[in-house]
């Protein structure tokens, strides 16, 4: 069968991802992991894993064991850790594959130590302590219990003690200093081990270095320093083709419920991307695409499979013309701001109907 025409193309720049990893490594001044959860924030975990591994990255994180199993073979010699920790029954799979659980409660510590005794050797794991996010990690009472009886870790090879920052993208938030102090205090009460502290934004806080940073978003071009110029390179470009162009008179409404009305005779371009592709409905009447450097306002509602743009002032936009929905001129952070969400959500919703192409690293 002939390959159907690509109506929309998501171009992932693996060279930019690798350049961002190198820049973050230089900035952090120590080892930097790659966080690949949620299919590498929608960019493609296999492709990103392969590119980062070839560049020398040797520490990786995903959220679920099945995400780790899918890419394990691409990452010889690297640590591949599962942030969401140990489900009952999964310990043998970790022991067999060498995938590393991030232990987030005393119950998980004890369960993994029991697995190590069955396996007959110490097993590697990360130990997650909760310093105020109240989501995952040993809460203070469990830390007390472990500090009182550190022999519970005897059968576990603690590769890193880690915690997660709740507000690192806001440098003035006092929670950063509180978590930093709580993490130092927790580590001092546990057996000596390397430490892992910062996510993308934490790398840009003063004094938040550690033995392993864990960036995700910044690798993929999201600005880790909101309100300041983006130090990262954009890693994706989302382009879509105009399907039809029509002329409408002044006073005509566009799209569901006619939420936009033409004030003058207008030309409307219809593009085959919608909220089913992860282009949020909240962008209705709020987004802008880009044509040849010129802004193109989105008018009317974003529908499931279609979206409409006002191209009255751009006579060169004809059926088949390409509009940039996300790209260097319309950064993912700006799309997110207009949609009332963050760039993480925009990236992780990028839909399966885009034809994906990869620029090599
Ligand atoms: C998702 C996640 C990260 C990466 O966060 P970014 O803000 O994308 O850099 C790091 N650590 C943990 C525990 C996470 O859940």
């Amino acid at each position: 069968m002939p390959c159907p025409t690509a109506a929309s193309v998501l171009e992932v720049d693996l060279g930019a991802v690798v350049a961002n990893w190198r820049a973050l490594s230089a900035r952090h001044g120590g080892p930097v992991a790659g966080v690949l959860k949620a299919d590498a924030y929608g960019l493609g975990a296999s492709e990103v894993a392969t590119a980062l591994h070839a560049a020398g990255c040797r520490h990786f994180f995903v959220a679920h064991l099945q995400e780790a199993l899918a890419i394990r073979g691409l990452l010889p010699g690297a640590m591949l850790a599962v942030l969401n920790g140990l489900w009952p029954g999964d310990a043998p799979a970790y022991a067999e594959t060498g995938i590393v659980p991030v232990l987030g409660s005393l119950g998980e510590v004890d369960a993994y130590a029991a697995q190590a005794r069955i396996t007959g050797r110490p097993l590697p794991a990360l130990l997650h302590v909760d310093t105020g996010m109240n989501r995952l990690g040993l809460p203070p009472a469990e830390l007390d219990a472990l500090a009182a009886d550190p022999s519970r870790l005897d059968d576990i090879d603690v590769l890193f003690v880690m915690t997660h920052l709740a507000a690192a993208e806001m440098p003035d938030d006092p929670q950063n200093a509180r978590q930093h102090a709580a993490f130092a205090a927790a580590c001092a009460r546990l057996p000596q081990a390397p430490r892992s502290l910062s996510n993308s934004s934490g790398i840009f806080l003063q004094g938040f270095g550690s033995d392993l940073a864990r960036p995700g978003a910044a690798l993929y071009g999201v600005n880790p320093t909101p309100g300041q110029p983006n130090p990262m390179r954009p890693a994706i470009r989302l382009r879509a083709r105009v399907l039809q162009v029509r002329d409408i008179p002044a006073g005509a409404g566009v799209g569901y419920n006619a939420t936009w009305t033409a004030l003058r005779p207008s030309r409307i371009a219809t593009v085959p991307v919608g909220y089913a592709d992860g282009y949020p409905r909240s962008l209705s009447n709020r987004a802008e695409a880009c044509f040849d450097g010129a802004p193109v306002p989105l008018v009317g509602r974003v529908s499931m499979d279609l979206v409409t743009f006002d191209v009255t002032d751009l006579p060169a936009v004809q059926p088949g013309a390409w509009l940039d929905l996300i790209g260097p001129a319309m950064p993912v952070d700006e799309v997110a701001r207009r949609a009332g969400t963050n760039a993480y959500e925009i990236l992780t919703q990028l839909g399966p109907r885009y034809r994906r192409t990869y620029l090599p690293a």
Side-chain angles (χ1 to χ4, degrees):
M1 254 207 339
C3 197
T5 303
S8 52
V9 174
L10 177 65
E11 190 180 277
V12 177
D13 184 349
L14 294 171
V17 175
V18 166
N20 288 336
W21 177 74
R22 292 211 173 96
L24 292 165
S25 300
R27 169 95 202 180
H28 186 242
V32 168
V35 177
L36 304 177
K37 59 195 182 189
D39 202 23
Y41 293 44
L43 276 68
S46 298
E47 290 81 0
V48 171
T50 302
L52 287 177
H53 188 269
C57 182
R58 287 295 176 271
H59 299 88
F60 297 89
F61 289 89
V62 292
H64 293 276
L65 178 57
Q66 67 264 31
E67 293 180 307
L69 290 167
I71 58 173
R72 177 74 211 128
L74 303 173
L75 301 171
M79 181 194 90
L80 176 54
V82 174
L83 290 164
N84 283 4
L86 194 65
W87 284 102
D90 280 352
Y94 286 97
E96 276 164 36
T97 57
I99 295 167
V100 176
V102 177
L103 305 174
S105 72
L106 210 44
E108 292 182 19
V109 169
D110 290 343
Y112 210 50
Q115 178 64 46
R117 288 189 289 276
I118 292 168
T119 305
R121 60 180 163 84
L123 291 175
L126 278 74
L127 185 62
H128 187 174
V129 296
D130 185 4
T131 54
M133 190 136 180
N134 290 312
R135 191 178 69 166
L136 286 177
L138 272 70
E142 295 193 0
L143 179 68
D144 289 346
L146 191 56
D149 182 7
S151 74
R152 290 167 92 159
L153 291 170
D154 279 354
D155 297 305
I156 294 174
D157 175 14
V158 180
L159 302 181
F160 295 93
V161 178
M162 64 164 262
T163 198
H164 190 44
L165 299 169
E169 78 286 2
M170 301 172 75
D172 297 331
D173 192 312
Q175 191 171 4
N176 292 318
R178 283 203 302 272
Q179 288 194 270
H180 190 279
F183 186 50
C187 290
R189 298 174 65 201
L190 292 168
Q192 183 67 31
R195 302 176 186 188
S196 176
L197 174 57
S198 286
N199 61 351
S200 295
S201 293
I203 292 171
F204 293 83
L205 297 174
Q206 288 303 323
F208 279 65
S210 69
D211 301 302
L212 184 68
R214 304 185 310 273
L219 292 173
Y220 311 121
V222 174
N223 188 357
T225 58
Q228 314 248 52
N230 189 351
M232 313 322 298
R233 260 172 64 177
I236 65 162
R237 182 173 177 203
L238 174 61
R239 300 184 301 144
R241 262 175 145 171
V242 173
L243 196 58
Q244 289 194 8
V245 178
R246 68 192 53 236
D247 292 296
I248 63 169
V254 170
Y256 284 117
N257 308 109
T259 62
W260 185 83
T261 302
L263 296 174
R264 55 175 176 164
S266 298
R267 290 175 74 239
I268 301 299
T270 303
V271 168
V273 167
Y275 59 77
D277 300 297
Y279 195 69
R281 189 166 177 272
S282 57
L283 286 173
S284 297
N285 290 305
R286 298 181 61 89
E288 245 170 38
C290 190
F291 175 76
D292 211 9
V296 190
L298 189 162
V299 294
R301 287 246 160 93
V302 176
S303 334
M304 185 185 294
D305 314 297
L306 297 167
V307 65
T308 37
F309 292 93
D310 178 3
V311 295
T312 312
D313 298 324
L314 296 164
V317 175
Q318 296 292 337
W322 289 93
L323 302 185
D324 270 27
L325 305 188
I326 303 175
M330 180 46 67
V332 64
D333 289 288
E334 175 63 11
V335 174
R337 189 188 67 76
R338 290 169 183 251
T341 182
N342 66 5
Y344 297 66
E345 193 172 33
I346 300 294
L347 290 181
T348 55
Q349 297 306 307
L350 289 167
R353 296 193 294 191
Y354 302 136
R355 179 174 296 177
R356 281 158 192 258
T357 63
Y358 288 87
L359 300 182

